[in-house]
Amino acid sequence: MPAHDSTLAPSASDRFGAFGGRYVPETLIPALDELERAYDDARADPSYIADVEHMLNTYVGRPSPLSDAPRLSRHVGARVWLKREDLNHTGAHKINNTVGQVLLARRMGKHRIIAETGAGQHGVATATVCARYGMECVVYMGEEDMRRQALNVWRMRLMGATVVPVTSGTRTLKDATSEAIRDWVATVVDSHYVIGSVVGPAPYPRMVRDFQSVISREARQQMLEQAGTLPSTVIACVGGGSNAIGVFAAFIDDPAVQLVGVEAAGEGLETAHHAASLSKGTPGVLHGTLSYLLQDAGGQVHPAHSISAGLDYPGVGPEHAYLKDIGRATYVAVTDHDALEGFKLLSRLEGIIPALESAHAVSWLASQRGRWRADESVLVCVSGRGDKDVAQVSEMGILGP
Amino acid sequence: MSATTSSERVAECFAQLRASGRRALVPYVTAGHPSPDATVDLLQGLEHAGADILEIGVPFSDPMADGPIIQASSQKALAAGMTFDGVLAAVSRARLRIPTVLFTYLNPLLAAGRDALSRAADAGFHGVLVTDLPVGADASLEQWLGDGPLAFIRLVAPTTPATRMVEIAQHGSGFVYLISRLGVTGVRDQLPADLPETVGRLRQATELPICVGFGVSRPEQAQAVARLADGVVVGSAMVRAADESLDSAFTLAASLRAAIDTVSP
């Protein structure tokens, strides 16, 4: 399973071109060495792989369906296919990774799990798998995000997790990540840190990619079976970039398949209020990895902004930085306003309420009418469902009076 | 200015301390805290109160190895407009006689450019310590720092295996900074019980002087550390004192100095 054999992004290295690496305090180096050994050992062990697959199939509900989207297809002028990660248990792709990492932590004899969360989807997915295995779970969440995503906070608590409000810095995902790392530096002997995206120090970016690549391994086969062809274009939203890497991975070696990542343009790329690290950032080091980063000339990290808490991160996974630089993937950005239009569009045309994160991908797709021939197939990753966003969006009055 | 290079000043300082049977007091301050205007006075006052070496922190927006006190000091310094060049200017203006160590996260150092180290040396810095650049993380950056004009001080953690301690010491100069405990910077009630053993392992690995930090705040703790190590780093407690008033910081430094000096080697 998790094996990803692309020649473009070597699994054994801690780098993606110049990007990635392990820029962390010395205290964590032995833990990262241990994690790397344990992961490489596990991915070669058929019993671990069988355990992960069993959980994905009987608990998460995989494989997730590939839906055709007839009304959206007419709207766009191409055959649109939706990879339905919104139908996973807990409502998003995040659980693909938490299953793999929590099972790995058990193998390593670690009984306490730490996680950071932005929108709350990764926190919920982590709390869920921890409940399933009776493990202690501590989730760090920015105070601002706890307010925006109160329902997810309640869900985590219901499942027995401790949710720690983070009041430092910008009180969002960036600071929750710093706080989770601070916990881990103190508890590294008995705790495992489940990073929720393809960010952080090696081996996290490749490990999380491997767990999320189940999305594209399924989708590639489903496209061949249901559409009879590979997609011309694969589209996914990018915050840290885990659902995007997950849906790109199995297509990277198909040169005819165009890969498009959609970042959050927030109030506009010309303003200071966006989260488009790849479109507008410069290389820098945050949370242990070298990648594109929103920062000022002095190397201070710039606060990100997005209507969607899950994209509200000033960095991005180092493999995306690499795919951008070698030209294998293209990165575009969609504003808060347009993401809301995408949110409405998928709900109206297909009866699927997407997460605000995924709505960025839908919105970009809808803006590209005329880009494809009518018989071309386009694959969009619906990374999560929008239930978590309904309260926030309903207050904005987008349905009119 | 003396004829010795910047990096040699740190080693020279420890040689002199050893010759006179003393241990080093190494206060940490965040440049720009409690305010950019106060930084020069704070540095000069700490030298006067008995500091042997000063660690001067470049404030960073995302200090993942630091606890709440140093985090808050960084935010305050940044909000007041402190920059990398501002740190250099403050040290230059302070005209200190004791060696100084530039204490920084990697990202602001990278942003300062390839001439950052020589500019720091020109400003009067003698050493550099990068919190998030462990040995083996980035060969070209480590070479840049190792070949530069400043002593390249490396960190050892309680989790560092003995073989890696040797490697770390070989790739560093000036002194080795031993992180006393797991976790981030902060004020703690007690020293970790295994500190003597950790210092012992590090002594086996290197002949470089050893300074111990993280969680050392009170004079009796400093005294206990001085019995084991060549130097005592006091960070969060110093920053907290400076937050009250500069005089509080100077009083703390003097009491730490007195406590350390009761220890004879």
Side-chain angles (χ1 to χ4, degrees):
Chain A
M1 59 137 250
H4 168 78
D5 296 316
S6 168
T7 48
L8 291 174
S11 265
S13 166
D14 68 353
R15 297 271 171 178
F16 304 92
F19 300 105
R22 268 189 191 176
Y23 301 93
V24 295
E26 170 65 22
T27 307
L28 292 180
I29 291 294
L32 292 170
D33 283 342
E34 180 195 7
L35 177 62
E36 184 148 51
R37 278 193 302 273
Y39 174 59
D40 286 334
D41 186 54
R43 66 202 288 271
D45 179 350
S47 74
Y48 169 78
I49 288 168
D51 287 349
V52 172
E53 284 186 346
H54 180 76
M55 276 292 283
L56 291 178
N57 295 340
T58 66
Y59 187 78
V60 174
R62 302 209 71 90
S64 68
L66 180 74
S67 299
D68 61 354
R71 297 187 67 209
L72 182 60
S73 294
R74 276 196 294 281
H75 183 85
V76 173
R79 295 171 70 193
V80 177
W81 299 86
L82 306 173
K83 181 57 175 168
R84 300 292 306 281
E85 294 301 302
D86 59 308
L87 293 178
N88 292 336
H89 181 39
T90 71
H93 71 291
K94 292 291 187 187
I95 198 164
N96 301 329
N97 168 46
T98 55
V99 163
Q101 285 205 48
V102 170
L103 285 172
L104 184 62
R106 282 166 58 82
R107 231 178 120 89
M108 294 168 71
K110 311 237 170 179
H111 299 291
R112 180 174 177 273
I113 296 293
I114 308 158
E116 86 295 336
T117 199
Q121 292 305 102
H122 173 59
V124 168
T126 308
T128 299
V129 182
C130 285
R132 168 69 177 71
Y133 287 102
M135 294 170 81
E136 186 186 349
C137 179
V138 179
V139 180
Y140 290 90
M141 188 168 185
E143 208 174 42
E144 170 67 13
D145 289 337
M146 287 179 75
R147 189 189 59 74
R148 289 196 280 193
Q149 299 290 346
L151 202 53
N152 272 341
V153 175
W154 193 85
R155 284 192 182 102
M156 289 184 263
R157 289 182 170 151
L158 177 65
M159 290 185 286
T162 304
V163 183
V164 182
V166 175
T167 56
S168 56
T170 55
R171 305 178 184 208
T172 60
L173 179 55
K174 158 176 98 79
D175 307 282
T177 305
S178 294
E179 209 55 38
I181 292 171
R182 290 180 188 120
D183 179 319
W184 198 35
V185 176
T187 60
V188 62
V189 177
D190 66 353
S191 297
H192 173 67
Y193 175 26
V194 179
I195 291 187
S197 192
V198 285
V199 300
Y204 281 106
R206 76 171 163 101
M207 182 170 77
V208 177
R209 174 203 62 203
D210 289 350
F211 291 134
Q212 292 296 359
S213 68
V214 69
I215 301 172
S216 54
R217 278 180 283 118
E218 288 175 5
R220 193 174 184 283
Q221 193 183 342
Q222 288 166 324
M223 285 297 303
L224 292 172
E225 286 168 7
Q226 293 175 234
T229 180
L230 292 179
S232 299
T233 307
V234 178
I235 305 165
C237 63
V238 177
S242 70
N243 94 89
I245 281 289
V247 77
F248 290 173
F251 296 105
I252 285 179
D253 291 337
D254 297 313
V257 178
Q258 191 190 15
L259 308 174
V260 178
V262 184
E263 297 191 288
E267 295 170 9
L269 291 185
E270 72 287 0
T271 73
H273 302 118
H274 60 74
S277 333
L278 289 160
S279 304
K280 298 291 280 186
T282 53
V285 172
L286 177 67
H287 297 143
T289 200
L290 173 64
S291 187
Y292 282 91
L293 188 59
L294 299 178
Q295 58 184 329
D296 67 18
Q300 306 296 339
V301 180
H302 202 286
H305 165 83
S306 170
I307 190 172
S308 114
L311 301 182
D312 203 344
Y313 184 69
V316 66
E319 191 165 5
H320 285 295
Y322 175 67
L323 293 174
K324 173 189 159 81
D325 275 14
I326 63 170
R328 180 63 191 93
T330 306
Y331 296 89
V332 297
V334 158
T335 62
D336 289 349
H337 173 270
D338 290 351
L340 282 171
E341 291 301 315
F343 185 81
K344 258 195 321 196
L345 190 71
L346 195 65
S347 303
R348 293 260 168 106
L349 294 184
E350 298 296 339
I352 297 169
I353 303 174
L356 279 175
E357 290 79 7
S358 323
H360 286 73
V362 173
S363 172
W364 185 80
L365 167 79
S367 74
Q368 298 298 303
R369 189 183 162 79
R371 183 187 182 99
W372 300 282
R373 295 187 316 271
D375 63 340
E376 278 186 281
S377 284
V378 179
L379 173 65
V380 180
C381 187
V382 182
S383 57
R385 71 178 81 126
D387 304 34
K388 69 180 175 60
D389 300 312
V390 165
Q392 181 194 349
V393 176
S394 65
E395 285 171 13
M396 296 174 179
I398 62 166
L399 294 183
Chain B
M1 284 284 145
S2 74
T4 50
T5 63
S6 296
S7 68
E8 287 164 354
R9 276 285 303 284
V10 180
E12 201 175 75
C13 170
F14 279 101
Q16 285 166 2
L17 285 165
R18 268 183 188 173
S20 59
R22 294 173 74 219
R23 309 299 202 196
L25 171 62
V26 187
Y28 164 92
V29 298
T30 303
H33 174 269
S35 72
D37 289 344
T39 297
V40 171
D41 289 344
L42 179 59
L43 298 176
Q44 290 172 339
L46 289 173
E47 177 182 64
H48 184 72
D52 297 297
I53 297 173
L54 283 171
E55 287 187 353
I56 301 165
V58 178
F60 180 47
S61 53
D62 297 81
M64 66 177 170
D66 284 302
I69 294 171
I70 294 179
Q71 283 175 49
S73 72
S74 294
Q75 284 188 22
K76 201 168 169 180
L78 290 172
M82 185 46 83
T83 61
F84 188 87
D85 286 338
V87 178
L88 303 193
V91 167
S92 180
R93 281 206 308 279
R95 307 184 69 82
L96 303 169
R97 291 177 300 277
I98 57 174
T100 51
V101 175
L102 181 72
F103 197 105
T104 185
Y105 284 84
L106 183 55
N107 206 51
L109 181 64
L110 292 178
R114 295 304 279 191
D115 63 350
L117 300 176
S118 54
R119 285 193 288 127
D122 291 345
F125 274 105
H126 307 95
V128 58
L129 187 157
V130 186
T131 315
D132 49 354
L133 186 67
V135 166
D138 190 316
S140 71
L141 284 178
E142 289 175 77
Q143 189 179 1
W144 173 57
L145 283 146
D147 293 349
L150 306 177
F152 186 21
I153 293 146
R154 312 307 292 264
L155 294 122
V156 163
T159 50
T160 305
T163 50
R164 187 171 160 83
M165 284 183 176
V166 175
E167 196 189 342
I168 291 171
Q170 281 168 352
H171 288 86
S173 58
F175 62 90
V176 178
Y177 186 128
L178 175 61
I179 298 167
S180 73
R181 66 184 70 236
L182 300 180
V184 294
T185 56
V187 172
R188 307 299 203 294
D189 287 339
Q190 291 190 323
L191 293 173
D194 60 356
L195 184 60
E197 188 203 318
T198 313
V199 175
R201 274 193 294 142
L202 185 52
R203 288 276 186 220
Q204 295 290 312
T206 184
E207 293 188 349
L208 282 174
I210 298 170
C211 291
V212 174
F214 276 47
V216 184
S217 56
R218 294 196 306 270
E220 61 270 28
Q221 291 173 327
Q223 192 178 42
V225 169
R227 289 197 183 96
L228 302 168
D230 304 291
V232 184
V233 183
V234 179
S236 293
M238 194 60 65
V239 170
R240 190 175 60 182
D243 210 36
E244 284 170 21
S245 69
L246 297 192
D247 281 340
S248 299
F250 304 151
T251 305
L252 176 63
S255 67
L256 293 164
R257 171 85 270 159
I260 290 171
D261 285 345
T262 62
V263 176
S264 49

